[in-house]
Amino acid sequence: MSISDAIDCDIHPGVPTIKALLPYMNDYWREAFIARGQDNFQPASYLPNSPIACRSDWRDGDAIPGSNFDLLQKHALDGFSARFAICNVLYGGSFSISETMGAAICSAVNDWVRAAWLARDPRLRASIVVPTQNPRLAVEEIERLAGDRRFVQILMPVALDMMLGKQHYWPIFEAATRHDLPIGLHAGSLYRYAPTTNGWPSHYLQDYVSNNHAFESQLLSLISQGVFVKFPELKIVLIESGVTWLPGFLWRARKTWRAVRPEVPWVDESPIEIVRRHVRLTAQPIDGPGDPAILERVLNQIGSDDMLLFATDYPHWQFDADRVLPEGVSARLIEKMTHDNPLATYPRLRETIQ
Amino acid sequence: MARHIVAALAEIPPGSQKLVHVKGRSIAVFNVNGELFGISDTCPHQGGSLAAGATVGLTTSTEPGKFCHSRPGEFVRCPWHSWEFDLRTGKSWCDPRKFRARPYDLSVESGEALVAGPYVAETFGVSVEDQYVVVEL
């Protein structure tokens, strides 16, 4: 599938070691990290040596996947003819139990991504990582960086301390809409709560697959608790959520809403319409069947070609060679996924084009 | 069009409802605080009997967490899937363009007028002292 000038909505530069972040920390935290010898705050869902963490032909020896600038440029930007690529750094700041340490790591990651990545290639954009553990600190970090228009999104793990629709998180949504920044919800959790509703799983398989439930319950929380009513401009991007679960979710959400609507009267339209207007999904991993006709049916069931965003998920191993788009997607939808939809989702990218 | 006597008013006191049949149609009749409403009994979703549904008010909201309650008793919820229908219009709340229970105009007439007038009483024996619910079809 040939694409050109595509907007890649999800790539993952890797923090090589904590040393890379120390220049962006204050004296206290610099000394603290050196003295404690703490390193490797990679979130645990992709252990560095697991196959999915990095495609084998993109590996750079034992280096943290995605941490080599030249290789990322060669593989992700040149390799897929990217016009822009959005850097989503998965690192411990959003996950830390200590709110202040989390804020220090997030702040350092953001300054590091600006200096070590954005400054080195004009095709790169980035998400602001925030300490979700404390929305006030998260808003401070958004305010600190929102003036730099190369930051195009706010990134949060999908499974958090609380249901995402709760008012606890509303200051983050308010800051997001004020600065034209969508909220990117990335697969992953804080790893101090069981990732399934029945407690701790025994195997990685369960942890990985249960992310789907987190996306469903957080999306339903945003709808039910009125976040999209309160923030009508808010866009939510589900990143690495997969796609094919969505039609079933929409069917159930609408069916049940019709029965219990008075419980949430501020939800005054079908959840399907709300999702189509406010929610976007990165299309890698696409989690679709091999048969293009079945995938086409799933896309028809979603009922909108505005929702999918092109992404390579570099360097995670979601596809081989250059088969980043699934078979059977129409030329029109490819055009929308690679250009129109990202530009509509990320207002700050539109500024660059005009 | 003819007018049909479908019930004695005393059978449907305020706050109650009754399923009536006229010319092969099933009509759910509701008495909301003395005002009578009729809609087709068959829920346009999957066919539940609206005459068997609970009547409720309209719940709306001005913002998340705020509940506004109005029009007490003017909506019926289908007993099968709880869809709400506006007794004044028959329209479903969740999808009013697609799903609507046909509304019927009802009136209350005195038995005295019915005995004298051109009404189709069919099986009803009319007593001049009573009042009756009449539907025009």
Side-chain angles (χ1 to χ4, degrees), chain B residues 27-62:
Chain B
I27 301 174
V29 178
F30 299 83
N31 185 334
V32 181
N33 298 322
E35 195 174 2
L36 286 166
F37 300 100
I39 60 173
S40 53
D41 178 58
T42 306
C43 178
H45 175 217
Q46 289 189 341
S49 169
L50 296 178
T55 49
V56 295
L58 175 63
T59 307
T60 55
S61 174
T62 52

Side-chain angles (χ1 to χ4, degrees), chain A residues 155-217:
Chain A
L155 190 68
M156 297 163 67
V158 68
L160 299 164
D161 287 301
M162 281 187 245
M163 297 301 285
L164 194 53
K166 282 188 175 287
Q167 295 199 15
H168 176 77
Y169 292 110
W170 288 16
I172 299 178
F173 304 140
E174 193 276 327
T177 52
R178 185 152 33 84
H179 292 295
D180 289 336
L181 294 161
I183 301 280
L185 292 181
H186 197 283
S189 85
L190 304 191
Y191 299 105
R192 54 179 174 272
Y193 307 108
T196 82
T197 50
N198 282 74
W200 290 98
S202 305
H203 304 286
Y204 175 70
L205 169 67
Q206 297 164 274
D207 182 293
Y208 187 78
V209 175
S210 66
N211 262 280
N212 244 23
H213 311 154
F215 277 103
E216 293 199 23
S217 59

Side-chain angles (χ1 to χ4, degrees), chain A residues 223 250 253-254 257-258 267-275, chain B residues 94:
Chain A
I223 295 167
L250 293 176
R254 184 177 72 173
W257 168 77
R258 284 175 162 175
V267 183
D268 60 359
E269 63 181 331
S270 158
I272 294 181
E273 303 308 320
I274 295 172
V275 167
Chain B
C94 64

